[in-house]
Amino acid sequence: MNEDDEILAKLGYVEPYEGESISHYLGRLRRFKANSLPSGYSLGKIAGLGAVTGRWEKLYFNPFPTRQELEALASLVGVNADRLAEMLPPNGVTMKPRPIRLCAACYAEVPCHRIEWQYKDKFKCDRHQLGFLTKCTNCETPFSIPSDWVKSECPHCSLSFAKMAKRQKIY
C-alpha cells in the first residue's frame, strides 16, 4: 500500500453546508481531523486531479470544472457530484474571485463562505440587505481565500467574522 492509498483509506466525510462555496468546503474537508491534508494540491493528487483542486480553492474556474473532475472528487469525498456542482457558480454567472466577500450576518447563522457572495453582479446580501465586507472591520486586513478560514476570524486581529456583522452597512 503506497502513501496515497493510506490517505485515501483514512479520508473522513464532511457534510457540505447549503450554499457553501467549493473553496470553503475543500478547506474544511482537508482540515477535518481524519484527513489532515496540507494543501488543495494534496487532495487533488489523491483524487487523480492534480493541481485543479488548488485552483478551485482560490475560486478560479477557468477552465470550468468538468463532470469527470467532479465525479472523481465525489468518489473520493463521499459527496454526490451534483452536490459538488452546487458549490460552483451556475452556468452563465460570472465570478469575481477577488476581493473575497463576506456577509458576516449570514456567517453568524451558518459558518461558511457562500459561493453567491463572489458573483460579479452581487454587491449585497439578499437575505440581510447588507453590503458585503471585503476586509476586517477592525484592522482592515483583506479576507483570505475561504479554504484558509480555519478559525472563523481575522487572522491578524482575531475579530470573529460573526461579530463583524455589527459594522456591515445597510445597502
mmCIF file of all heavy atoms in Angstrom, residues 131-160:
data_model
loop_
_atom_site.group_PDB
_atom_site.id
_atom_site.type_symbol
_atom_site.label_atom_id
_atom_site.label_comp_id
_atom_site.label_asym_id
_atom_site.label_seq_id
_atom_site.Cartn_x
_atom_site.Cartn_y
_atom_site.Cartn_z
ATOM 1 N N GLY A 131 -24.466 45.281 2.714
ATOM 2 C CA GLY A 131 -23.360 45.235 1.764
ATOM 3 C C GLY A 131 -22.319 44.220 2.222
ATOM 4 O O GLY A 131 -22.106 44.036 3.420
ATOM 5 N N PHE A 132 -21.687 43.568 1.266
ATOM 6 C CA PHE A 132 -20.652 42.593 1.605
ATOM 7 C C PHE A 132 -19.422 43.287 2.178
ATOM 8 O O PHE A 132 -19.077 44.404 1.787
ATOM 9 C CB PHE A 132 -20.219 41.797 0.365
ATOM 10 C CG PHE A 132 -21.277 40.905 -0.181
ATOM 11 C CD1 PHE A 132 -21.641 40.985 -1.511
ATOM 12 C CD2 PHE A 132 -21.909 39.965 0.614
ATOM 13 C CE1 PHE A 132 -22.613 40.147 -2.032
ATOM 14 C CE2 PHE A 132 -22.886 39.121 0.104
ATOM 15 C CZ PHE A 132 -23.238 39.220 -1.229
ATOM 16 N N LEU A 133 -18.749 42.612 3.082
ATOM 17 C CA LEU A 133 -17.461 43.058 3.602
ATOM 18 C C LEU A 133 -16.363 42.432 2.748
ATOM 19 O O LEU A 133 -16.510 41.301 2.275
ATOM 20 C CB LEU A 133 -17.290 42.616 5.056
ATOM 21 C CG LEU A 133 -18.328 43.137 6.049
ATOM 22 C CD1 LEU A 133 -18.148 42.464 7.407
ATOM 23 C CD2 LEU A 133 -18.232 44.648 6.178
ATOM 24 N N THR A 134 -15.258 43.155 2.587
ATOM 25 C CA THR A 134 -14.110 42.612 1.844
ATOM 26 C C THR A 134 -12.841 42.597 2.698
ATOM 27 O O THR A 134 -11.805 42.117 2.264
ATOM 28 C CB THR A 134 -13.834 43.424 0.561
ATOM 29 O OG1 THR A 134 -13.595 44.782 0.926
ATOM 30 C CG2 THR A 134 -15.012 43.328 -0.403
ATOM 31 N N LYS A 135 -12.977 43.153 3.909
ATOM 32 C CA LYS A 135 -11.830 43.180 4.830
ATOM 33 C C LYS A 135 -12.345 43.245 6.254
ATOM 34 O O LYS A 135 -13.512 43.577 6.496
ATOM 35 C CB LYS A 135 -10.903 44.344 4.520
ATOM 36 C CG LYS A 135 -11.576 45.693 4.546
ATOM 37 C CD LYS A 135 -10.677 46.773 4.012
ATOM 38 C CE LYS A 135 -11.441 48.084 3.877
ATOM 39 N NZ LYS A 135 -10.661 49.112 3.271
ATOM 40 N N CYS A 136 -11.485 42.961 7.181
ATOM 41 C CA CYS A 136 -11.839 43.001 8.602
ATOM 42 C C CYS A 136 -12.318 44.401 8.971
ATOM 43 O O CYS A 136 -11.700 45.400 8.592
ATOM 44 C CB CYS A 136 -10.617 42.612 9.441
ATOM 45 S SG CYS A 136 -10.882 42.737 11.222
ATOM 46 N N THR A 137 -13.398 44.459 9.733
ATOM 47 C CA THR A 137 -13.948 45.757 10.135
ATOM 48 C C THR A 137 -13.135 46.398 11.254
ATOM 49 O O THR A 137 -13.333 47.571 11.557
ATOM 50 C CB THR A 137 -15.414 45.609 10.596
ATOM 51 O OG1 THR A 137 -15.468 44.690 11.689
ATOM 52 C CG2 THR A 137 -16.299 45.128 9.457
ATOM 53 N N ASN A 138 -12.215 45.664 11.838
ATOM 54 C CA ASN A 138 -11.382 46.200 12.908
ATOM 55 C C ASN A 138 -10.024 46.679 12.383
ATOM 56 O O ASN A 138 -9.663 47.835 12.551
ATOM 57 C CB ASN A 138 -11.191 45.141 13.997
ATOM 58 C CG ASN A 138 -10.423 45.653 15.191
ATOM 59 O OD1 ASN A 138 -10.716 46.720 15.718
ATOM 60 N ND2 ASN A 138 -9.425 44.906 15.610
ATOM 61 N N CYS A 139 -9.281 45.780 11.742
ATOM 62 C CA CYS A 139 -7.906 46.104 11.330
ATOM 63 C C CYS A 139 -7.753 46.319 9.822
ATOM 64 O O CYS A 139 -6.674 46.654 9.356
ATOM 65 C CB CYS A 139 -6.947 45.012 11.799
ATOM 66 S SG CYS A 139 -7.130 43.449 10.920
ATOM 67 N N GLU A 140 -8.822 46.099 9.079
ATOM 68 C CA GLU A 140 -8.855 46.297 7.630
ATOM 69 C C GLU A 140 -7.966 45.335 6.849
ATOM 70 O O GLU A 140 -7.601 45.607 5.713
ATOM 71 C CB GLU A 140 -8.560 47.754 7.265
ATOM 72 C CG GLU A 140 -9.580 48.700 7.862
ATOM 73 C CD GLU A 140 -9.501 50.115 7.312
ATOM 74 O OE1 GLU A 140 -8.641 50.389 6.457
ATOM 75 O OE2 GLU A 140 -10.319 50.929 7.746
ATOM 76 N N THR A 141 -7.666 44.182 7.410
ATOM 77 C CA THR A 141 -6.934 43.148 6.682
ATOM 78 C C THR A 141 -7.896 42.488 5.694
ATOM 79 O O THR A 141 -8.979 42.049 6.097
ATOM 80 C CB THR A 141 -6.384 42.076 7.657
ATOM 81 O OG1 THR A 141 -5.486 42.701 8.559
ATOM 82 C CG2 THR A 141 -5.693 40.951 6.918
ATOM 83 N N PRO A 142 -7.540 42.433 4.410
ATOM 84 C CA PRO A 142 -8.421 41.765 3.436
ATOM 85 C C PRO A 142 -8.614 40.288 3.798
ATOM 86 O O PRO A 142 -7.720 39.663 4.364
ATOM 87 C CB PRO A 142 -7.663 41.901 2.113
ATOM 88 C CG PRO A 142 -6.701 43.026 2.328
ATOM 89 C CD PRO A 142 -6.349 42.991 3.784
ATOM 90 N N PHE A 143 -9.786 39.763 3.458
ATOM 91 C CA PHE A 143 -10.067 38.364 3.746
ATOM 92 C C PHE A 143 -9.230 37.453 2.852
ATOM 93 O O PHE A 143 -9.061 37.717 1.660
ATOM 94 C CB PHE A 143 -11.550 38.049 3.535
ATOM 95 C CG PHE A 143 -12.451 38.796 4.469
ATOM 96 C CD1 PHE A 143 -13.479 39.586 3.980
ATOM 97 C CD2 PHE A 143 -12.288 38.720 5.844
ATOM 98 C CE1 PHE A 143 -14.316 40.284 4.833
ATOM 99 C CE2 PHE A 143 -13.116 39.413 6.707
ATOM 100 C CZ PHE A 143 -14.132 40.197 6.200
ATOM 101 N N SER A 144 -8.742 36.378 3.448
ATOM 102 C CA SER A 144 -8.013 35.362 2.679
ATOM 103 C C SER A 144 -9.025 34.465 1.971
ATOM 104 O O SER A 144 -10.234 34.560 2.212
ATOM 105 C CB SER A 144 -7.132 34.532 3.619
ATOM 106 O OG SER A 144 -7.940 33.885 4.590
ATOM 107 N N ILE A 145 -8.523 33.574 1.120
ATOM 108 C CA ILE A 145 -9.427 32.673 0.413
ATOM 109 C C ILE A 145 -10.161 31.806 1.442
ATOM 110 O O ILE A 145 -9.603 31.445 2.482
ATOM 111 C CB ILE A 145 -8.693 31.822 -0.644
ATOM 112 C CG1 ILE A 145 -7.606 30.952 -0.020
ATOM 113 C CG2 ILE A 145 -8.167 32.690 -1.771
ATOM 114 C CD1 ILE A 145 -6.976 29.955 -0.985
ATOM 115 N N PRO A 146 -11.424 31.493 1.177
ATOM 116 C CA PRO A 146 -12.233 30.775 2.165
ATOM 117 C C PRO A 146 -11.666 29.422 2.605
ATOM 118 O O PRO A 146 -11.898 29.015 3.744
ATOM 119 C CB PRO A 146 -13.578 30.602 1.456
ATOM 120 C CG PRO A 146 -13.623 31.738 0.482
ATOM 121 C CD PRO A 146 -12.212 31.940 0.036
ATOM 122 N N SER A 147 -10.914 28.757 1.769
ATOM 123 C CA SER A 147 -10.344 27.472 2.186
ATOM 124 C C SER A 147 -9.356 27.647 3.326
ATOM 125 O O SER A 147 -9.060 26.690 4.046
ATOM 126 C CB SER A 147 -9.667 26.761 1.002
ATOM 127 O OG SER A 147 -8.579 27.520 0.525
ATOM 128 N N ASP A 148 -8.869 28.868 3.530
ATOM 129 C CA ASP A 148 -7.920 29.151 4.613
ATOM 130 C C ASP A 148 -8.597 29.659 5.889
ATOM 131 O O ASP A 148 -7.923 29.984 6.855
ATOM 132 C CB ASP A 148 -6.882 30.190 4.162
ATOM 133 C CG ASP A 148 -5.936 29.653 3.109
ATOM 134 O OD1 ASP A 148 -5.825 28.423 2.958
ATOM 135 O OD2 ASP A 148 -5.296 30.476 2.430
ATOM 136 N N TRP A 149 -9.920 29.717 5.922
ATOM 137 C CA TRP A 149 -10.635 30.218 7.087
ATOM 138 C C TRP A 149 -10.678 29.139 8.176
ATOM 139 O O TRP A 149 -11.663 28.433 8.338
ATOM 140 C CB TRP A 149 -12.048 30.656 6.727
ATOM 141 C CG TRP A 149 -12.131 31.874 5.850
ATOM 142 C CD1 TRP A 149 -11.103 32.578 5.312
ATOM 143 C CD2 TRP A 149 -13.319 32.504 5.398
ATOM 144 N NE1 TRP A 149 -11.568 33.618 4.558
ATOM 145 C CE2 TRP A 149 -12.944 33.594 4.588
ATOM 146 C CE3 TRP A 149 -14.665 32.263 5.585
ATOM 147 C CZ2 TRP A 149 -13.860 34.439 3.980
ATOM 148 C CZ3 TRP A 149 -15.585 33.101 4.973
ATOM 149 C CH2 TRP A 149 -15.188 34.178 4.194
ATOM 150 N N VAL A 150 -9.627 29.049 8.937
ATOM 151 C CA VAL A 150 -9.501 27.996 9.946
ATOM 152 C C VAL A 150 -10.314 28.300 11.191
ATOM 153 O O VAL A 150 -11.033 27.449 11.709
ATOM 154 C CB VAL A 150 -8.013 27.787 10.320
ATOM 155 C CG1 VAL A 150 -7.862 26.756 11.411
ATOM 156 C CG2 VAL A 150 -7.204 27.404 9.095
ATOM 157 N N LYS A 151 -10.234 29.515 11.704
ATOM 158 C CA LYS A 151 -10.845 29.846 12.991
ATOM 159 C C LYS A 151 -12.067 30.759 12.896
ATOM 160 O O LYS A 151 -12.544 31.257 13.902
ATOM 161 C CB LYS A 151 -9.811 30.503 13.905
ATOM 162 C CG LYS A 151 -8.675 29.580 14.291
ATOM 163 C CD LYS A 151 -7.767 30.267 15.273
ATOM 164 C CE LYS A 151 -6.671 29.347 15.740
ATOM 165 N NZ LYS A 151 -5.802 30.019 16.705
ATOM 166 N N SER A 152 -12.562 31.037 11.700
ATOM 167 C CA SER A 152 -13.729 31.915 11.533
ATOM 168 C C SER A 152 -13.489 33.295 12.126
ATOM 169 O O SER A 152 -14.366 33.900 12.740
ATOM 170 C CB SER A 152 -14.986 31.296 12.166
ATOM 171 O OG SER A 152 -15.277 30.073 11.570
ATOM 172 N N GLU A 153 -12.261 33.778 11.946
ATOM 173 C CA GLU A 153 -11.898 35.090 12.478
ATOM 174 C C GLU A 153 -10.777 35.689 11.633
ATOM 175 O O GLU A 153 -10.130 34.995 10.854
ATOM 176 C CB GLU A 153 -11.436 34.965 13.927
ATOM 177 C CG GLU A 153 -10.172 34.159 14.093
ATOM 178 C CD GLU A 153 -9.768 33.912 15.540
ATOM 179 O OE1 GLU A 153 -10.623 33.973 16.436
ATOM 180 O OE2 GLU A 153 -8.564 33.642 15.759
ATOM 181 N N CYS A 154 -10.584 36.979 11.821
ATOM 182 C CA CYS A 154 -9.478 37.651 11.148
ATOM 183 C C CYS A 154 -8.162 37.053 11.653
ATOM 184 O O CYS A 154 -7.942 36.995 12.864
ATOM 185 C CB CYS A 154 -9.522 39.149 11.450
ATOM 186 S SG CYS A 154 -8.097 40.053 10.802
ATOM 187 N N PRO A 155 -7.288 36.622 10.754
ATOM 188 C CA PRO A 155 -6.025 36.036 11.205
ATOM 189 C C PRO A 155 -5.064 37.068 11.794
ATOM 190 O O PRO A 155 -4.124 36.726 12.490
ATOM 191 C CB PRO A 155 -5.450 35.408 9.937
ATOM 192 C CG PRO A 155 -6.072 36.160 8.822
ATOM 193 C CD PRO A 155 -7.425 36.596 9.309
ATOM 194 N N HIS A 156 -5.342 38.343 11.554
ATOM 195 C CA HIS A 156 -4.454 39.408 12.039
ATOM 196 C C HIS A 156 -4.835 39.877 13.443
ATOM 197 O O HIS A 156 -3.992 39.972 14.328
ATOM 198 C CB HIS A 156 -4.452 40.577 11.055
ATOM 199 C CG HIS A 156 -3.452 41.627 11.377
ATOM 200 N ND1 HIS A 156 -3.795 42.781 12.052
ATOM 201 C CD2 HIS A 156 -2.131 41.709 11.146
ATOM 202 C CE1 HIS A 156 -2.718 43.528 12.208
ATOM 203 N NE2 HIS A 156 -1.694 42.906 11.672
ATOM 204 N N CYS A 157 -6.129 40.174 13.665
ATOM 205 C CA CYS A 157 -6.553 40.738 14.961
ATOM 206 C C CYS A 157 -7.493 39.825 15.755
ATOM 207 O O CYS A 157 -7.892 40.177 16.864
ATOM 208 C CB CYS A 157 -7.187 42.106 14.760
ATOM 209 S SG CYS A 157 -8.846 42.052 14.037
ATOM 210 N N SER A 158 -7.887 38.710 15.183
ATOM 211 C CA SER A 158 -8.737 37.692 15.839
ATOM 212 C C SER A 158 -10.191 38.107 16.060
ATOM 213 O O SER A 158 -10.909 37.448 16.814
ATOM 214 C CB SER A 158 -8.129 37.237 17.170
ATOM 215 O OG SER A 158 -6.850 36.700 16.955
ATOM 216 N N LEU A 159 -10.657 39.166 15.404
ATOM 217 C CA LEU A 159 -12.076 39.513 15.490
ATOM 218 C C LEU A 159 -12.864 38.443 14.742
ATOM 219 O O LEU A 159 -12.557 38.128 13.597
ATOM 220 C CB LEU A 159 -12.341 40.893 14.880
ATOM 221 C CG LEU A 159 -13.806 41.366 14.897
ATOM 222 C CD1 LEU A 159 -14.300 41.568 16.331
ATOM 223 C CD2 LEU A 159 -13.959 42.648 14.093
ATOM 224 N N SER A 160 -13.894 37.886 15.387
ATOM 225 C CA SER A 160 -14.667 36.829 14.738
ATOM 226 C C SER A 160 -15.471 37.398 13.577
ATOM 227 O O SER A 160 -15.937 38.547 13.625
ATOM 228 C CB SER A 160 -15.589 36.138 15.738
ATOM 229 O OG SER A 160 -16.736 36.908 15.972
#
